[in-house]
Each structure stands twice: as structure tokens, then as C-alpha cells.
Amino acid sequence: MSVEDGGSPGLGRPRQARWTLMLLLSTAMYGAHAPLLALCHVNGRVPFRPSSAVLLTELTKLLLCAFSLLVGWQAWPQGAPPWRQAAPFALSALLYGANNNLVIYLQRYMDPSTYQVLSNLKIGSTALFYCLCLRHRLSARQGLALLLLMAAGACYAAGGLQDPGNTLPGPPSAAAAGPMPLHITPLGLLLLILYCLISGLSSVYTELLMKRQRLPLALQNLFLYTFGVLLNLGLHAGGGPGPGFLEGFSGWAALVVLSQALNGLLMSAVMKHGSSITRLFVVSCSLVVNAVLSAALLRLQLTAAFFLATLLIGLAVRLYYGSR
């Protein structure tokens, strides 16, 4: 099978094992994002500037890519540096910059579990852009698998988590805070739809770009995150008055930044060697991680709806990646 059809890149069991481990790590980091942000809350709000967190994340990714090239983990291309091939990554950086800032702003208008569930609407937008831009046709079996992923998200939203002291599902803003029921404001819903559209477009565009260029992944990432740092530096500087650059940061916030940076690098490898559809399954499977961490860190109970959603996700994975 090809990568786009669900196969694993590379030959042999060692490389397949590394690929599987990478996907599992990415799934864990995606699922941990919303609970970790909830643990950062002070009096129900994110205490730091979202632009500071995004800028630090982009800077961390840039430094890791530069280090990879400097120590020779990935070879620098022969001849003159292909700087002209860097320009298309400006659009990727713009899309990712908008998306990364929206992720944190969305937390102001909904609880973490609602965000984690409804953000799976990006399944539909990514599949649409995947078919239109990359001209890949999905089979009926693959289409059914993606519908099952969306059904799993809806099932989880119906009550995958529940506070033991409250009949309303949804995590509290922190382990020591009171229960936070599932909620979303009209503005939050509008921003979420925009987030899903940008997410789908950015994913497919970056996949197309990385596969067309015959450059080392670390160099492509260097281009992408250089633009990302410049863009988010401008957004932070023009953001108006607010907390200082590192004001409000805690150990949980530092963990959010580090996990997002590492996950961004893992996802770039998926774009280079896998597909945007693989990324969809990573995001959907992260619901399981999100629920388990919410139960452990935010004192919520798993319900029957959670286990049904997990079953649907497993069935979707089997339908899409199983032998035909």
C-alpha cells in the first residue's frame, strides 16, 4: 500500500516501528494539549498572552531544526542554499500562525473537552482540501471511516466525560477548581469553524509543498519556522497592552510550549512521508488521550459514551488502514 492509502513509509520492521512510535507520541501530545491548557488557568482564564506561547513554540521548533542541521542529523543540500524554495513556506507560516493563535483564544469561549471534540470538524475540511488540491479520490470504505471519526467526536460530545459532583459533562478549569460544564459561545463556534477550515487548508498545502520539494525535512522546517517566528513576533509586538512576554507562565505553560513544539516537528514528518489523512487519525485518536488525562488531572469520570467513541475510532482505523 502507498502512504496515502494507509501504508507505512519506509521498508522493514525497524522503520515501521519508528513510524508507529512517532504517531503514538503525536497522538499523546495532541490529547494532552487541552487538559494542560486547563491546568494553566488562573481564575478561569489563561494568565499569559497567547501570542507569547505561540512565539515561544515557533522559536523552539526553529532552534531544534537548526540544531539538527548543525550536528549533521540531516545533511545540508549540495551547492548553493536553495533560498528561492523558502518563499512558498511564508503562506504555510501565515496559516499555521493564525491557527496556533486561534487554538489558545478558543479556550476563552468553550471548555477544553468541547474544543477537543468540535475541533474534529477539521476532518471534513481536511478531506475536502485533500481531494481538491491533491486530487486523491477516497474510496467508499475510506469515506465511511472518516464519517465514523466524526461520529466518534459527536458521541464523545454527548457525554464522554462527567464530573462526579455534577451531572453536566466537561472538565473543570483546573484540578482544584470547580466543575466546568460543556459550553460554547456563538463567537466561539464561529472561530471554531474558521479554525477547522484553516487547519485543513494549512495541512494539505504544507503536504503538497513538502512532497514537491526535494529538500531535507529539517531545512524545509527551518524555512517554515523562520517565517513563523517573524510572523508571530510581529503579532506579539502589535498585540497591544497586556501581560509581559513571560508573565503568567508556569511549569504547565512551559510543558504546553514544549509539547506543541515537538508535536509540530512530528507532524511535519507526517506531511513529508505520510499524508494529511494520517494526521486526521492522529487528531481523532487523541480524544482517547484527552479523556484519560482529563479524568486523571481534572477529576472527571469516563462514561459509556467515551467507550463507544473509542470503539468507533478503532473501527474507523480498521476500515481505513485495514487490508482491502
Side-chain angles (χ1 to χ4, degrees):
M1 287 185 294
S2 67
V3 171
E4 286 76 11
D5 290 334
S8 299
L11 299 174
R13 291 183 179 179
R15 296 187 67 180
Q16 184 173 349
R18 289 196 296 269
W19 176 257
T20 301
L21 177 61
M22 183 185 71
L23 294 180
L24 290 175
L25 287 174
S26 184
T27 300
M29 291 179 189
Y30 261 117
H33 183 61
L36 287 177
L37 274 178
L39 291 172
C40 294
H41 285 189
V42 175
N43 296 324
R45 297 181 62 87
V46 175
F48 51 84
R49 293 180 66 176
S51 59
S52 296
V54 175
L55 178 56
L56 283 174
T57 300
E58 294 298 297
L59 184 59
T60 301
K61 290 187 284 190
L62 177 62
L63 292 176
L64 290 174
C65 292
F67 180 76
S68 176
L69 288 170
L70 287 175
V71 301
W73 289 348
Q74 292 196 29
W76 187 271
Q78 297 180 352
W83 301 119
R84 291 184 178 179
Q85 298 186 61
F89 286 97
L91 178 56
S92 285
L94 181 63
L95 293 172
Y96 281 125
N99 232 35
N100 290 337
N101 280 280
L102 276 174
V103 166
I104 297 181
Y105 279 111
L106 282 171
Q107 307 301 315
R108 301 181 177 181
Y109 304 105
M110 66 192 73
D111 64 281
S113 284
T114 296
Y115 159 74
Q116 191 72 25
V117 170
L118 294 184
S119 64
N120 279 266
L121 290 172
K122 69 178 72 173
I123 294 172
S125 62
T126 303
L128 176 63
F129 287 121
Y130 183 77
C131 294
L132 293 177
C133 299
L134 298 179
R135 298 182 180 180
H136 285 295
R137 291 190 61 184
L138 298 176
S139 67
R141 180 183 179 124
Q142 292 172 329
L144 177 59
L146 296 180
L147 287 176
L148 284 177
L149 287 184
M150 300 183 76
C155 179
Y156 185 82
L161 290 171
Q162 182 173 316
D163 190 289
N166 190 347
T167 57
L168 293 174
S173 59
M180 179 189 294
L182 289 174
H183 70 277
I184 182 171
T185 66
L187 178 58
L189 182 60
L190 180 63
L191 291 175
L192 186 75
I193 293 173
L194 179 62
Y195 163 76
C196 291
L197 290 174
I198 295 176
S199 177
L201 179 59
S202 61
S203 177
V204 173
Y205 174 76
T206 303
E207 177 186 348
L208 180 65
L209 189 58
M210 287 188 164
K211 287 180 175 176
R212 282 186 175 180
Q213 293 185 352
R214 296 185 176 180
L215 295 175
L217 177 59
L219 183 58
Q220 290 180 315
N221 281 336
L222 190 71
F223 294 154
L224 175 62
Y225 300 134
T226 297
F227 285 117
V229 168
L230 294 176
L231 172 66
N232 286 284
L233 184 61
L235 290 174
H236 179 78
F245 183 63
L246 294 178
E247 184 179 346
F249 269 77
S250 61
W252 291 118
L255 190 56
V256 168
V257 169
L258 181 60
S259 64
Q260 284 296 97
L262 293 176
N263 198 30
L265 295 176
L266 291 176
M267 280 296 99
S268 68
V270 172
M271 296 296 101
K272 181 77 169 180
H273 305 294
S275 72
S276 298
I277 300 299
T278 303
R279 177 177 176 272
L280 288 181
F281 278 91
V282 169
V283 174
S284 294
C285 290
S286 70
L287 281 176
V288 180
V289 179
N290 170 258
V292 171
L293 288 180
S294 293
L297 300 177
L298 306 180
R299 302 176 183 176
L300 301 180
Q301 291 181 345
L302 303 178
T303 68
F306 161 75
F307 294 102
L308 178 58
T310 302
L311 179 63
L312 290 175
I313 291 172
L315 182 58
V317 172
R318 175 61 181 171
L319 277 174
Y320 197 94
Y321 291 104
S323 57
R324 292 164 176 76

PDB file of all heavy atoms in Angstrom, residues 47-57 59 229 232-233 236-237 242-249 253 257:
ATOM      1  N   PRO A  47      -3.609  32.844  32.000  1.00  0.00           N
ATOM      2  CA  PRO A  47      -2.954  34.011  32.603  1.00  0.00           C
ATOM      3  C   PRO A  47      -1.864  34.650  31.759  1.00  0.00           C
ATOM      4  O   PRO A  47      -1.392  35.729  32.097  1.00  0.00           O
ATOM      5  CB  PRO A  47      -2.357  33.430  33.899  1.00  0.00           C
ATOM      6  CG  PRO A  47      -2.040  32.022  33.548  1.00  0.00           C
ATOM      7  CD  PRO A  47      -3.129  31.579  32.605  1.00  0.00           C
ATOM      8  N   PHE A  48      -1.459  34.018  30.680  1.00  0.00           N
ATOM      9  CA  PHE A  48      -0.396  34.571  29.842  1.00  0.00           C
ATOM     10  C   PHE A  48      -0.951  34.993  28.494  1.00  0.00           C
ATOM     11  O   PHE A  48      -2.064  34.603  28.115  1.00  0.00           O
ATOM     12  CB  PHE A  48       0.738  33.551  29.660  1.00  0.00           C
ATOM     13  CG  PHE A  48       0.266  32.193  29.202  1.00  0.00           C
ATOM     14  CD1 PHE A  48       0.050  31.920  27.851  1.00  0.00           C
ATOM     15  CD2 PHE A  48       0.042  31.178  30.118  1.00  0.00           C
ATOM     16  CE1 PHE A  48      -0.384  30.676  27.428  1.00  0.00           C
ATOM     17  CE2 PHE A  48      -0.387  29.921  29.704  1.00  0.00           C
ATOM     18  CZ  PHE A  48      -0.607  29.679  28.356  1.00  0.00           C
ATOM     19  N   ARG A  49      -0.161  35.774  27.779  1.00  0.00           N
ATOM     20  CA  ARG A  49      -0.577  36.199  26.449  1.00  0.00           C
ATOM     21  C   ARG A  49      -0.471  35.030  25.481  1.00  0.00           C
ATOM     22  O   ARG A  49       0.587  34.399  25.369  1.00  0.00           O
ATOM     23  CB  ARG A  49       0.289  37.361  25.952  1.00  0.00           C
ATOM     24  CG  ARG A  49       0.102  38.640  26.724  1.00  0.00           C
ATOM     25  CD  ARG A  49       0.980  39.761  26.191  1.00  0.00           C
ATOM     26  NE  ARG A  49       0.593  40.167  24.843  1.00  0.00           N
ATOM     27  CZ  ARG A  49       1.153  41.188  24.187  1.00  0.00           C
ATOM     28  NH1 ARG A  49       2.116  41.886  24.766  1.00  0.00           N
ATOM     29  NH2 ARG A  49       0.764  41.509  22.982  1.00  0.00           N
ATOM     30  N   PRO A  50      -1.548  34.709  24.754  1.00  0.00           N
ATOM     31  CA  PRO A  50      -1.473  33.605  23.789  1.00  0.00           C
ATOM     32  C   PRO A  50      -0.357  33.787  22.763  1.00  0.00           C
ATOM     33  O   PRO A  50       0.289  32.815  22.378  1.00  0.00           O
ATOM     34  CB  PRO A  50      -2.853  33.644  23.120  1.00  0.00           C
ATOM     35  CG  PRO A  50      -3.757  34.253  24.145  1.00  0.00           C
ATOM     36  CD  PRO A  50      -2.919  35.274  24.857  1.00  0.00           C
ATOM     37  N   SER A  51      -0.131  35.023  22.346  1.00  0.00           N
ATOM     38  CA  SER A  51       0.915  35.268  21.353  1.00  0.00           C
ATOM     39  C   SER A  51       2.292  34.920  21.895  1.00  0.00           C
ATOM     40  O   SER A  51       3.186  34.509  21.136  1.00  0.00           O
ATOM     41  CB  SER A  51       0.885  36.731  20.899  1.00  0.00           C
ATOM     42  OG  SER A  51       1.069  37.606  22.007  1.00  0.00           O
ATOM     43  N   SER A  52       2.494  35.058  23.206  1.00  0.00           N
ATOM     44  CA  SER A  52       3.779  34.694  23.803  1.00  0.00           C
ATOM     45  C   SER A  52       4.008  33.191  23.708  1.00  0.00           C
ATOM     46  O   SER A  52       5.106  32.737  23.356  1.00  0.00           O
ATOM     47  CB  SER A  52       3.825  35.123  25.275  1.00  0.00           C
ATOM     48  OG  SER A  52       3.749  36.521  25.402  1.00  0.00           O
ATOM     49  N   ALA A  53       2.965  32.410  24.005  1.00  0.00           N
ATOM     50  CA  ALA A  53       3.089  30.957  23.943  1.00  0.00           C
ATOM     51  C   ALA A  53       3.350  30.479  22.522  1.00  0.00           C
ATOM     52  O   ALA A  53       4.192  29.601  22.278  1.00  0.00           O
ATOM     53  CB  ALA A  53       1.821  30.301  24.492  1.00  0.00           C
ATOM     54  N   VAL A  54       2.639  31.069  21.551  1.00  0.00           N
ATOM     55  CA  VAL A  54       2.820  30.659  20.158  1.00  0.00           C
ATOM     56  C   VAL A  54       4.214  31.043  19.666  1.00  0.00           C
ATOM     57  O   VAL A  54       4.886  30.256  18.983  1.00  0.00           O
ATOM     58  CB  VAL A  54       1.740  31.293  19.262  1.00  0.00           C
ATOM     59  CG1 VAL A  54       1.994  30.972  17.798  1.00  0.00           C
ATOM     60  CG2 VAL A  54       0.357  30.797  19.673  1.00  0.00           C
ATOM     61  N   LEU A  55       4.667  32.243  20.012  1.00  0.00           N
ATOM     62  CA  LEU A  55       6.001  32.687  19.597  1.00  0.00           C
ATOM     63  C   LEU A  55       7.089  31.793  20.185  1.00  0.00           C
ATOM     64  O   LEU A  55       8.039  31.400  19.497  1.00  0.00           O
ATOM     65  CB  LEU A  55       6.222  34.137  20.013  1.00  0.00           C
ATOM     66  CG  LEU A  55       7.601  34.743  19.697  1.00  0.00           C
ATOM     67  CD1 LEU A  55       7.917  34.640  18.209  1.00  0.00           C
ATOM     68  CD2 LEU A  55       7.662  36.194  20.163  1.00  0.00           C
ATOM     69  N   LEU A  56       6.952  31.446  21.453  1.00  0.00           N
ATOM     70  CA  LEU A  56       7.927  30.563  22.085  1.00  0.00           C
ATOM     71  C   LEU A  56       7.914  29.177  21.449  1.00  0.00           C
ATOM     72  O   LEU A  56       8.967  28.544  21.280  1.00  0.00           O
ATOM     73  CB  LEU A  56       7.635  30.446  23.585  1.00  0.00           C
ATOM     74  CG  LEU A  56       8.068  31.641  24.443  1.00  0.00           C
ATOM     75  CD1 LEU A  56       7.576  31.456  25.876  1.00  0.00           C
ATOM     76  CD2 LEU A  56       9.580  31.805  24.427  1.00  0.00           C
ATOM     77  N   THR A  57       6.732  28.705  21.062  1.00  0.00           N
ATOM     78  CA  THR A  57       6.633  27.407  20.400  1.00  0.00           C
ATOM     79  C   THR A  57       7.344  27.426  19.053  1.00  0.00           C
ATOM     80  O   THR A  57       8.111  26.509  18.717  1.00  0.00           O
ATOM     81  CB  THR A  57       5.154  27.023  20.199  1.00  0.00           C
ATOM     82  OG1 THR A  57       4.504  26.955  21.473  1.00  0.00           O
ATOM     83  CG2 THR A  57       5.031  25.680  19.513  1.00  0.00           C
ATOM     84  N   LEU A  59       9.703  29.480  18.072  1.00  0.00           N
ATOM     85  CA  LEU A  59      11.138  29.660  18.298  1.00  0.00           C
ATOM     86  C   LEU A  59      11.788  28.352  18.722  1.00  0.00           C
ATOM     87  O   LEU A  59      12.905  28.029  18.273  1.00  0.00           O
ATOM     88  CB  LEU A  59      11.361  30.733  19.361  1.00  0.00           C
ATOM     89  CG  LEU A  59      12.813  31.115  19.659  1.00  0.00           C
ATOM     90  CD1 LEU A  59      13.514  31.621  18.398  1.00  0.00           C
ATOM     91  CD2 LEU A  59      12.881  32.159  20.764  1.00  0.00           C
ATOM     92  N   VAL A 229       8.395  32.439  13.135  1.00  0.00           N
ATOM     93  CA  VAL A 229       8.907  33.293  14.209  1.00  0.00           C
ATOM     94  C   VAL A 229       8.716  34.767  13.855  1.00  0.00           C
ATOM     95  O   VAL A 229       8.262  35.569  14.687  1.00  0.00           O
ATOM     96  CB  VAL A 229      10.390  32.988  14.484  1.00  0.00           C
ATOM     97  CG1 VAL A 229      11.006  34.058  15.378  1.00  0.00           C
ATOM     98  CG2 VAL A 229      10.539  31.620  15.134  1.00  0.00           C
ATOM     99  N   ASN A 232       4.901  35.658  14.064  1.00  0.00           N
ATOM    100  CA  ASN A 232       4.370  35.716  15.420  1.00  0.00           C
ATOM    101  C   ASN A 232       5.053  36.773  16.268  1.00  0.00           C
ATOM    102  O   ASN A 232       4.453  37.297  17.214  1.00  0.00           O
ATOM    103  CB  ASN A 232       4.507  34.343  16.078  1.00  0.00           C
ATOM    104  CG  ASN A 232       3.497  33.349  15.537  1.00  0.00           C
ATOM    105  OD1 ASN A 232       2.316  33.397  15.874  1.00  0.00           O
ATOM    106  ND2 ASN A 232       3.945  32.445  14.678  1.00  0.00           N
ATOM    107  N   LEU A 233       6.293  37.122  15.908  1.00  0.00           N
ATOM    108  CA  LEU A 233       6.948  38.243  16.577  1.00  0.00           C
ATOM    109  C   LEU A 233       6.211  39.536  16.270  1.00  0.00           C
ATOM    110  O   LEU A 233       5.989  40.373  17.164  1.00  0.00           O
ATOM    111  CB  LEU A 233       8.408  38.334  16.141  1.00  0.00           C
ATOM    112  CG  LEU A 233       9.260  39.407  16.827  1.00  0.00           C
ATOM    113  CD1 LEU A 233       9.328  39.155  18.329  1.00  0.00           C
ATOM    114  CD2 LEU A 233      10.669  39.432  16.224  1.00  0.00           C
ATOM    115  N   HIS A 236       2.887  39.509  18.137  1.00  0.00           N
ATOM    116  CA  HIS A 236       3.069  39.772  19.565  1.00  0.00           C
ATOM    117  C   HIS A 236       3.360  41.248  19.812  1.00  0.00           C
ATOM    118  O   HIS A 236       2.802  41.851  20.737  1.00  0.00           O
ATOM    119  CB  HIS A 236       4.206  38.910  20.109  1.00  0.00           C
ATOM    120  CG  HIS A 236       4.480  39.116  21.556  1.00  0.00           C
ATOM    121  ND1 HIS A 236       3.703  38.563  22.555  1.00  0.00           N
ATOM    122  CD2 HIS A 236       5.442  39.851  22.198  1.00  0.00           C
ATOM    123  CE1 HIS A 236       4.168  38.930  23.728  1.00  0.00           C
ATOM    124  NE2 HIS A 236       5.226  39.701  23.544  1.00  0.00           N
ATOM    125  N   ALA A 237       4.223  41.840  18.974  1.00  0.00           N
ATOM    126  CA  ALA A 237       4.584  43.243  19.160  1.00  0.00           C
ATOM    127  C   ALA A 237       3.391  44.168  18.918  1.00  0.00           C
ATOM    128  O   ALA A 237       3.258  45.207  19.565  1.00  0.00           O
ATOM    129  CB  ALA A 237       5.734  43.619  18.229  1.00  0.00           C
ATOM    130  N   GLY A 242      -0.878  44.331  27.541  1.00  0.00           N
ATOM    131  CA  GLY A 242      -1.227  43.032  28.113  1.00  0.00           C
ATOM    132  C   GLY A 242      -0.109  42.559  29.018  1.00  0.00           C
ATOM    133  O   GLY A 242       0.837  43.309  29.307  1.00  0.00           O
ATOM    134  N   PRO A 243      -0.180  41.327  29.473  1.00  0.00           N
ATOM    135  CA  PRO A 243       0.888  40.790  30.320  1.00  0.00           C
ATOM    136  C   PRO A 243       2.232  40.818  29.597  1.00  0.00           C
ATOM    137  O   PRO A 243       2.292  40.833  28.359  1.00  0.00           O
ATOM    138  CB  PRO A 243       0.425  39.351  30.580  1.00  0.00           C
ATOM    139  CG  PRO A 243      -1.044  39.353  30.335  1.00  0.00           C
ATOM    140  CD  PRO A 243      -1.274  40.370  29.264  1.00  0.00           C
ATOM    141  N   GLY A 244       3.324  40.831  30.367  1.00  0.00           N
ATOM    142  CA  GLY A 244       4.647  40.800  29.792  1.00  0.00           C
ATOM    143  C   GLY A 244       4.894  39.513  29.034  1.00  0.00           C
ATOM    144  O   GLY A 244       4.092  38.582  29.072  1.00  0.00           O
ATOM    145  N   PHE A 245       6.046  39.428  28.366  1.00  0.00           N
ATOM    146  CA  PHE A 245       6.322  38.312  27.470  1.00  0.00           C
ATOM    147  C   PHE A 245       6.221  36.966  28.193  1.00  0.00           C
ATOM    148  O   PHE A 245       5.619  36.025  27.682  1.00  0.00           O
ATOM    149  CB  PHE A 245       7.712  38.473  26.851  1.00  0.00           C
ATOM    150  CG  PHE A 245       8.059  37.400  25.857  1.00  0.00           C
ATOM    151  CD1 PHE A 245       7.324  37.249  24.690  1.00  0.00           C
ATOM    152  CD2 PHE A 245       9.113  36.532  26.091  1.00  0.00           C
ATOM    153  CE1 PHE A 245       7.628  36.254  23.775  1.00  0.00           C
ATOM    154  CE2 PHE A 245       9.433  35.538  25.179  1.00  0.00           C
ATOM    155  CZ  PHE A 245       8.688  35.403  24.024  1.00  0.00           C
ATOM    156  N   LEU A 246       6.796  36.856  29.360  1.00  0.00           N
ATOM    157  CA  LEU A 246       6.754  35.607  30.122  1.00  0.00           C
ATOM    158  C   LEU A 246       5.863  35.701  31.354  1.00  0.00           C
ATOM    159  O   LEU A 246       5.841  34.765  32.157  1.00  0.00           O
ATOM    160  CB  LEU A 246       8.175  35.198  30.541  1.00  0.00           C
ATOM    161  CG  LEU A 246       9.138  34.826  29.411  1.00  0.00           C
ATOM    162  CD1 LEU A 246      10.516  34.499  29.960  1.00  0.00           C
ATOM    163  CD2 LEU A 246       8.594  33.652  28.596  1.00  0.00           C
ATOM    164  N   GLU A 247       5.143  36.787  31.483  1.00  0.00           N
ATOM    165  CA  GLU A 247       4.277  36.963  32.656  1.00  0.00           C
ATOM    166  C   GLU A 247       3.144  35.944  32.631  1.00  0.00           C
ATOM    167  O   GLU A 247       2.488  35.733  31.603  1.00  0.00           O
ATOM    168  CB  GLU A 247       3.696  38.374  32.671  1.00  0.00           C
ATOM    169  CG  GLU A 247       2.862  38.685  33.901  1.00  0.00           C
ATOM    170  CD  GLU A 247       2.338  40.108  33.886  1.00  0.00           C
ATOM    171  OE1 GLU A 247       2.826  40.923  33.070  1.00  0.00           O
ATOM    172  OE2 GLU A 247       1.434  40.407  34.698  1.00  0.00           O
ATOM    173  N   GLY A 248       2.902  35.311  33.754  1.00  0.00           N
ATOM    174  CA  GLY A 248       1.833  34.328  33.865  1.00  0.00           C
ATOM    175  C   GLY A 248       2.247  32.914  33.499  1.00  0.00           C
ATOM    176  O   GLY A 248       1.446  31.988  33.634  1.00  0.00           O
ATOM    177  N   PHE A 249       3.486  32.739  33.043  1.00  0.00           N
ATOM    178  CA  PHE A 249       3.944  31.404  32.668  1.00  0.00           C
ATOM    179  C   PHE A 249       4.230  30.576  33.921  1.00  0.00           C
ATOM    180  O   PHE A 249       4.746  31.077  34.915  1.00  0.00           O
ATOM    181  CB  PHE A 249       5.192  31.475  31.790  1.00  0.00           C
ATOM    182  CG  PHE A 249       4.891  31.529  30.318  1.00  0.00           C
ATOM    183  CD1 PHE A 249       4.453  32.709  29.737  1.00  0.00           C
ATOM    184  CD2 PHE A 249       5.022  30.406  29.529  1.00  0.00           C
ATOM    185  CE1 PHE A 249       4.162  32.772  28.385  1.00  0.00           C
ATOM    186  CE2 PHE A 249       4.735  30.454  28.178  1.00  0.00           C
ATOM    187  CZ  PHE A 249       4.293  31.626  27.601  1.00  0.00           C
ATOM    188  N   ALA A 253       2.578  25.803  31.655  1.00  0.00           N
ATOM    189  CA  ALA A 253       2.671  26.559  30.410  1.00  0.00           C
ATOM    190  C   ALA A 253       3.918  26.178  29.625  1.00  0.00           C
ATOM    191  O   ALA A 253       3.885  26.058  28.397  1.00  0.00           O
ATOM    192  CB  ALA A 253       2.673  28.059  30.710  1.00  0.00           C
ATOM    193  N   VAL A 257       4.184  24.589  25.770  1.00  0.00           N
ATOM    194  CA  VAL A 257       5.058  25.084  24.699  1.00  0.00           C
ATOM    195  C   VAL A 257       5.940  23.964  24.158  1.00  0.00           C
ATOM    196  O   VAL A 257       6.057  23.770  22.937  1.00  0.00           O
ATOM    197  CB  VAL A 257       5.922  26.254  25.210  1.00  0.00           C
ATOM    198  CG1 VAL A 257       7.018  26.594  24.199  1.00  0.00           C
ATOM    199  CG2 VAL A 257       5.045  27.478  25.471  1.00  0.00           C
TER     200      VAL A 257
END
